[in-house]
């Protein structure tokens, strides 16, 4: 099946610094990618939709200036957590679907990134 | 707005037995798609099974099958002959006929007892 690769799988950063998470579609081009946040034993909360060549669409309550999304190419979307604080510590997951295959196509997920802000 | 509800936060099943995980959803659409995803301890999301709303026949994938009741907006997952490797979080998901967005339920944590 299609592969979505996310990097890094875990990162620890100091409070106040910025962290960049990459999401790549390895064997298909993704015009749209999704970024989720997941708290322990909870569901995936959609943060934003990353659109290649245009601005990301953020869900209500998600700070666009804090969670910067850049979809610079058809295979790469990045999420940058700026001025990270301990409350930003979480598990972040990206996903993408193969375009043009119809709405019954599944979403492929990255391995996730565990961010810990100390 | 589309909402997906999983009323069982935790479930357990004896190895080799059968377990059913519940999922209901709310939508005004008539054409949509439903999925069950598994998230093992590795946190990697894996597709278990999918169902097209326009199909009356319930989807099956080996030991996994669904009971899709469109009128009741219910989409339960049955796992037969449960194995230790089935232990995971299971998420029900909904996708409209248009757009790429998936809506996820709150998840059910499944424990398989040896």
């Amino acid at each position: 099946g299609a592969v979505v690769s996310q990097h890094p799988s875990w990162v620890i950063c100091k409070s106040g610094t910025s962290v960049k998470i990459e999401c790549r579609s390895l064997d298909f081009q993704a015009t749209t990618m999704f970024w989720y946040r997941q708290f322990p034993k909870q569901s995936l909360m959609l943060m934003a939709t990353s659109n290649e060549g245009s601005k990301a669409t953020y869900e209500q309550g998600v700070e666009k200036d804090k969670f910067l999304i850049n979809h610079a190419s058809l295979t790469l979307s990045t999420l940058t957590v700026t001025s990270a604080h301990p409350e930003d510590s979480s598990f972040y997951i990206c996903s993408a679907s193969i375009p043009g295959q119809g709405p019954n196509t599944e979403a492929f997920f990255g391995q996730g990134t565990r961010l810990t802000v100390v | 707005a589309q909402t997906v509800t999983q009323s069982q936060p935790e479930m357990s099943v004896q190895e080799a037995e059968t377990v059913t995980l519940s999922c209901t959803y709310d939508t005004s659409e008539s054409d949509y798609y439903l999925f069950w995803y598994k998230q093992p301890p590795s946190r990697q999301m894996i597709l278990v099974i999918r169902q097209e709303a326009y199909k009356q026949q319930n989807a099956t994938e080996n030991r996994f099958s669904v009971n899709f009741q469109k009128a009741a907006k219910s989409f339960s997952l049955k796992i037969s002959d449960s194995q230790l490797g089935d232990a995971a979080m299971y998420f029900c998901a909904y996708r409209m006929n248009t757009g790429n967005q998936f809506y996820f339920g709150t998840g059910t944590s499944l424990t398989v007892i040896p």
Side-chain angles (χ1 to χ4, degrees):
Chain A
V3 177
V4 173
S5 178
Q6 193 172 335
H7 178 80
S9 56
W10 61 271
V11 59
I12 301 173
C13 71
K14 290 185 177 180
S15 186
T17 62
S18 295
V19 173
K20 180 185 286 187
I21 303 170
E22 293 187 347
C23 180
R24 294 180 184 273
S25 55
L26 297 185
D27 48 2
F28 66 99
Q29 294 182 330
T31 54
T32 303
M33 291 184 176
F34 297 92
W35 287 97
Y36 297 88
R37 183 173 180 174
Q38 186 180 29
F39 291 102
K41 296 188 178 182
Q42 294 190 25
S43 188
L44 282 70
M45 181 190 78
L46 180 66
M47 299 175 64
T49 302
S50 175
N51 303 298
E52 189 272 334
S54 64
K55 291 183 179 180
T57 304
Y58 290 82
E59 295 299 302
Q60 190 172 9
V62 178
E63 300 176 60
K64 62 177 69 176
D65 294 331
K66 180 165 190 63
F67 298 100
L68 298 179
I69 291 173
N70 183 26
H71 198 144
S73 76
L74 287 171
T75 59
L76 174 64
S77 174
T78 60
L79 168 67
T80 301
V81 183
T82 63
S83 186
H85 290 284
E87 56 264 31
D88 299 326
S89 298
S90 191
F91 193 71
Y92 295 87
I93 309 176
C94 69
S95 79
S97 296
I98 300 176
Q101 291 201 343
N104 68 334
T105 186
E106 67 191 273
F108 296 95
F109 290 84
Q111 305 94 319
T113 297
R114 179 175 300 283
L115 170 63
T116 302
V117 184
V118 297
Chain B
Q2 284 73 25
T3 58
V4 181
T5 302
Q6 294 178 247
S7 59
Q8 307 153 314
E10 298 179 345
M11 290 283 285
S12 62
V13 62
Q14 205 76 33
E15 192 176 4
E17 296 296 310
T18 297
V19 65
T20 299
L21 307 184
S22 301
C23 172
T24 58
Y25 56 94
D26 184 24
T27 183
S28 58
E29 303 291 324
S30 61
D31 199 9
Y32 49 88
Y33 301 82
L34 299 165
F35 304 79
W36 277 98
Y37 277 89
K38 169 184 177 181
Q39 188 181 41
S42 68
R43 307 291 292 269
Q44 175 71 60
M45 296 282 283
I46 303 166
L47 176 68
V48 175
I49 198 166
R50 81 187 84 193
Q51 173 81 43
E52 293 88 346
Y54 62 82
K55 289 187 177 178
Q56 292 186 335
Q57 186 173 5
N58 290 321
T60 62
E61 286 286 343
N62 300 314
R63 297 184 294 108
F64 300 89
S65 61
V66 300
N67 183 5
F68 173 49
Q69 302 290 327
K70 190 172 184 178
K73 297 180 182 177
S74 171
F75 182 59
S76 61
L77 173 69
K78 186 171 81 171
I79 306 174
S80 303
D81 186 24
S82 297
Q83 300 176 359
L84 295 178
D86 295 334
M89 281 287 287
Y90 286 82
F91 292 98
C92 177
Y94 165 100
R95 181 181 185 179
M96 290 192 298
N97 188 36
T98 57
N100 294 319
Q101 187 173 343
F102 285 72
Y103 298 87
F104 289 91
T106 48
T108 297
S109 178
L110 178 66
T111 300
V112 180
I113 303 167

